Amino acid sequence: MGFPTILFWVMLIWGLYDGDVYPREGAIMAGVWVALLVLFILFNVNLMWFVVPTVILDIVLILKVFGGDVALR
């Protein structure tokens, strides 16, 4: 669970610093992340299920920061 969470925050801060992610987009993504975490804790769901939405947010950030030109080789 730690790697996707760390990757999310590093990519978000890097995107905000580099200018690829606008502050409003960054606030929305951080808000979605915090809201998901609070909901998972409130409903007493296993936190391993929190990895799936975090990875989806990571994929969105990777495509946003790298502009969709991610080489898979």
Side-chain angles (χ1 to χ4, degrees), residues 4-67:
T5 302
I6 293 170
L7 181 65
F8 171 77
W9 287 107
V10 168
M11 290 292 293
L12 184 63
I13 292 168
W14 182 21
L16 286 169
Y17 176 75
D18 198 28
D20 293 328
V21 177
Y22 297 113
R24 182 178 230 171
E25 290 174 332
I28 290 171
M29 287 185 189
V32 167
W33 188 88
V34 169
L36 284 169
L37 181 64
V38 168
L39 287 173
F40 274 81
I41 291 173
L42 275 175
F43 289 120
N44 201 16
V45 177
N46 187 358
L47 285 179
M48 291 307 291
W49 285 102
F50 183 65
V51 173
V52 175
T54 303
V55 168
I56 293 170
L57 285 172
D58 286 341
I59 292 170
V60 170
L61 272 174
I62 288 171
L63 291 175
K64 180 77 175 160
V65 169
F66 292 111

